[in-house]
Amino acid sequence: MSAKIKLKEVYEVQNQYKAFYTGGTVQWSSERAGTAVPKLGAINLISVSDKSSEQVIFGANPSTTDDDDGIAEDSVYTFALANGGEHVVSAHRSGLLRMWDVASRQVVKMWRGLHQGPTTRLAFSAGDQLVASGGTDTTVRIWDPMQQVCVGTLRGCVGVVSLLVFHPDEERKVILAAGDDAKIYAWNYETRELVKTFAGHFSKVTAVSFSNDRKFLVSAGRDKILVLWDYETQQSVKTIPVYESLESVIVLPDGIRVNGQKLKKGKIYAACAGEEGLIKVWEMTETAIVFKQSNSLVTKSAEEGGLAITEMLLNRQTSQLAVVSADHNIIIHDLETFDCFKQLSGFSDEILDLILFGKKDRFLGMATNSNDFKVYDTTTMNCQLVKGHTDIVLSLSANDQFMLSSSKDNSIRLWQYNATKFEIHCVAIGLKHTNAVGSVSLSKISGKFCASVSQDRCLKVWKIPKEFNQTSDEKELTRLNCTLTELAHEKDINCVSISPNDRLLATGSQDKTAKLWDVSNLSLVGVFRGHKRGIWAVRFSPIDQILLTNAADCSIKLWSLTDMTCLKSLEGHESSVLRVEFLSNGMQLISAGADGLLKLWSIKSSECIQTLDKHESRIWALCVTEDETVFYSGGSDSQLIKWKDVTDEKRDREMTERKDMLLQEQELNNLVNDKKLLKALRLSLNLNRPLMTLKIINAVIKAQEQGLPETVQKLSNDHKETLLKHAIEWNTNSRNCRPAQLVLNILLQEILAGAFQVSELNKHLTAALPYTERHFARMTEYAKDLKFIEYTLQCMQPHAARATNKS
């Protein structure tokens, strides 16, 4: 049976999912959402269609490199997307403003911003003819981007310009701005006069929006009020206390439907959002809430005045409303039904655990440094946030029916998932632990129980009921029944795993031991001692009676379940081994370390077959698909990497290359045998055969065949460089100095003529000079000896002639 199992030899990165949004400006065109990524010095375009969430970095500066501190030299501070969606203007760390063409992703205009400090806000006019910039120097500048000139500087704001909006009626020539003094200022940017001032807020103004008839203005601020202004008189018409700090407000278009309710024409409806993480729609003239979101996926701010929703965007063409959360998620709702249309996870922070579940491992669960965990559809990488826990989710597990999660809130939660609708909802909760629950495991065969371990040093077994209360009320959720409890270890328990036959449990702890338990009564079956530091994970072999443990002592150990002895110890990591998974029916392992390295092991030979280095920091999570062709890894560098087994492709490629090589070698031998030496020279260089090349050069010299310099001249630059390396190699042997010096002479003439550009010329010359000097010294001695012999013969000739005459 083992002979039929194909062992893995090579894994390669298939996809690498990095953070595409870590904070900053977000804007929405008719089809795409753009997010600024200051860390990458770029602007991303993210597709929000239901087919993909592909990101396109179109604003990267080609000359951008990282300095010694790892900060991008010309990172993006903020940007603005033109109303027509054709251009983007961005403000950079260098003080430059760049205008990009969206289609070609190229810079079309670039000019200096002139602000004394960073540029904090940018905005396009209604017709996209002008660009406004606001900075930390309290000024607002109006630019003609085509001419790259400043057409006006507006002064009057106090503090940093945090809000910048052109009046939607372009004929008015008005721009509004707000700073730190709780006032909204309006200038005529042609005359540069301050024409209006709206004073009514008591704290920073965060957003403004015009009514559909342009007669009124709605503003929101961190003073927890909404204000409706008469634009012409600058008077406050209504002031509505909302009891939460607001970050965004949008006046909704006439006749639109919100959650099935059609909004009346002639009324002013404003959607607002802030620290509560909910979208509310107010009818401003009657000060009444007409809609309050009940299905929000944004967690309420933990502190008063904190951030939950940082920005809100309306796409009028598609009637969709997007919210940007403080934890870098972009959630798009359909206004008519207010169902979640799509979720984009911009930044995952530290990835703590990964699981695959569903038919053909379609879904990927991810626990990050957040109260919510994420579930991805691996076919499209659509994301869904799953809310329920009140503290950081630490561990996930799944089988064919359920998902299980554990958290720092001392609870475990059981979830049911609907694969067709991509829906996940909590059906039961377990509340018996007294400290953070670090690991959970679901039974794979029966699905009737699960196990959990905690920092309270307890191991618990829970019974999964056959029926659940059909409710969304947290207080009425089915309670999981804890059937067995055991004080399992002396220190924190890091991991728990259920055996493939559901009969045994294994736990690993900071007390340096792993323990084996009988599931039926939690009686201790055995203790595994041998690690010198805490154990991070335990795994049962899928086919053998073997338990695997990995620990902070940089080692992986395999234990026999029959006599509790250590069968093998694998050492190769230079830091803690955080996670290990079995491959190839228990014949191979894939391990992850705190050094950011993944290693593929052969258990039979105890050798590391491959080391994968793509992560930048510790790797906490691994999960392998059922067919083992793909595995995912994630860690503290916020990267999710999809690895693919390319062993067969590599073998096929090597076989094809070997066939081609054999054919070329046969052709080379035929050319040499047929005395077609100069043609053979090209092929030998192509195959990188130094000895064959030497043989050909010697044959050319012996046959005194003309045309070697001409042939070398016709070679490509790469072939010439290969020939140079071969000649330097031959030059190390005195027997081959003649062909080596001949080739070096031809190539050096090519270099002097400029026909041959060689990389690392100094290195090649340094390698050739000592041996060349040695050959020159030896040939000089030979020449001296020859001259001495010639002189001796000349001296002996008269005496030889006399002897001949006498005789």
Side-chain angles (χ1 to χ4, degrees), residues 290-304:
V290 296
F291 171 74
K292 182 177 180 180
Q293 188 181 6
S294 60
N295 60 343
S296 175
L297 296 171
V298 182
T299 304
K300 182 180 178 180
S301 172
E303 300 177 357
E304 186 177 355

Side-chain angles (χ1 to χ4, degrees), residues 153 364 405 503 521-522 580 657 712:
T153 301
L364 175 71
S405 62
R503 294 181 180 179
N521 55 10
L522 280 193
V580 184
E657 290 174 356
V712 172

Side-chain angles (χ1 to χ4, degrees), residues 115 134-135 137-141 153-164 175-187 192-198:
H115 286 282
D137 58 356
T138 73
T139 64
V140 175
R141 295 182 182 273
T153 301
L154 312 176
R155 293 180 174 88
C157 268
V158 176
V160 178
V161 176
S162 57
L163 179 65
L164 203 57
I175 186 170
L176 283 75
D180 297 333
D181 60 347
K183 293 181 181 180
I184 306 168
Y185 299 93
W187 292 270
R192 304 177 197 175
E193 293 180 0
L194 182 65
V195 293
K196 295 182 187 297
T197 302
F198 301 88

Side-chain angles (χ1 to χ4, degrees), residues 5 41 85 143 165 186 198-199 306 325 353 395 415 455 507 524 529 593-594 624 643 654 678-679 706 722 751 756 779:
I5 299 170
W143 303 90
V165 177
F198 301 88
S325 68
D353 201 6
S395 177
W415 310 79
Q455 290 182 3
T507 56
L524 184 63
R529 294 186 175 91
V624 184
W643 304 85
E654 288 177 348
L678 298 180
K679 287 184 178 180
Q706 300 298 316
T722 304
I751 292 173
F756 175 29
M779 296 304 292

Side-chain angles (χ1 to χ4, degrees), residues 177-337:
D180 297 333
D181 60 347
K183 293 181 181 180
I184 306 168
Y185 299 93
W187 292 270
N188 183 306
Y189 52 76
E190 280 196 342
T191 63
R192 304 177 197 175
E193 293 180 0
L194 182 65
V195 293
K196 295 182 187 297
T197 302
F198 301 88
H201 284 277
F202 305 102
S203 186
K204 183 177 178 179
V205 180
T206 54
V208 296
S209 182
F210 280 91
S211 64
N212 298 309
D213 58 8
R214 317 291 191 245
K215 295 179 180 179
F216 296 93
L217 182 72
V218 179
S219 64
R222 292 182 181 166
D223 52 3
K224 304 183 180 183
I225 59 172
L226 277 175
V227 180
L228 178 65
W229 305 87
D230 185 309
Y231 180 75
E232 298 299 333
T233 64
Q234 308 167 53
Q235 297 298 313
S236 170
V237 179
K238 292 284 183 181
T239 299
I240 304 174
V242 294
Y243 307 106
E244 63 168 326
S245 296
L246 297 178
E247 293 296 320
S248 185
V249 64
I250 297 174
V251 174
L252 300 178
D254 286 334
I256 200 169
R257 286 182 174 272
V258 175
N259 198 33
Q261 178 182 352
K262 188 173 182 179
L263 303 184
K264 298 177 182 178
K265 291 185 179 181
K267 301 285 187 177
I268 301 174
Y269 296 93
C272 62
E275 66 174 302
E276 286 189 9
L278 303 173
I279 299 173
K280 299 174 185 176
V281 178
W282 289 82
E283 203 290 297
M284 296 299 297
T285 56
E286 298 178 1
T287 65
I289 293 181
V290 296
F291 171 74
K292 182 177 180 180
Q293 188 181 6
S294 60
N295 60 343
S296 175
L297 296 171
V298 182
T299 304
K300 182 180 178 180
S301 172
E303 300 177 357
E304 186 177 355
L307 296 177
I309 293 176
T310 59
E311 200 162 352
M312 192 166 52
L313 307 162
L314 175 66
N315 189 324
R316 296 174 183 269
Q317 293 183 6
T318 59
S319 294
Q320 291 174 342
L321 192 68
V323 294
V324 183
S325 68
D327 51 359
H328 312 115
N329 296 313
I330 302 172
I331 302 164
I332 302 168
H333 296 275
D334 183 87
L335 265 178
E336 185 168 346
T337 62

Side-chain angles (χ1 to χ4, degrees), residues 171 206 428 443 657 725 729 803:
E171 294 180 358
T206 54
S443 62
E657 290 174 356
K725 292 176 182 177
E729 186 178 339

Side-chain angles (χ1 to χ4, degrees), residues 458-476:
C458 286
L459 164 65
K460 293 182 182 292
V461 175
W462 309 77
K463 183 181 178 181
I464 297 176
K466 295 181 179 179
E467 295 181 356
F468 303 95
N469 296 337
Q470 301 298 321
T471 178
S472 58
D473 189 348
E474 187 75 15
K475 295 180 181 179
E476 296 182 6

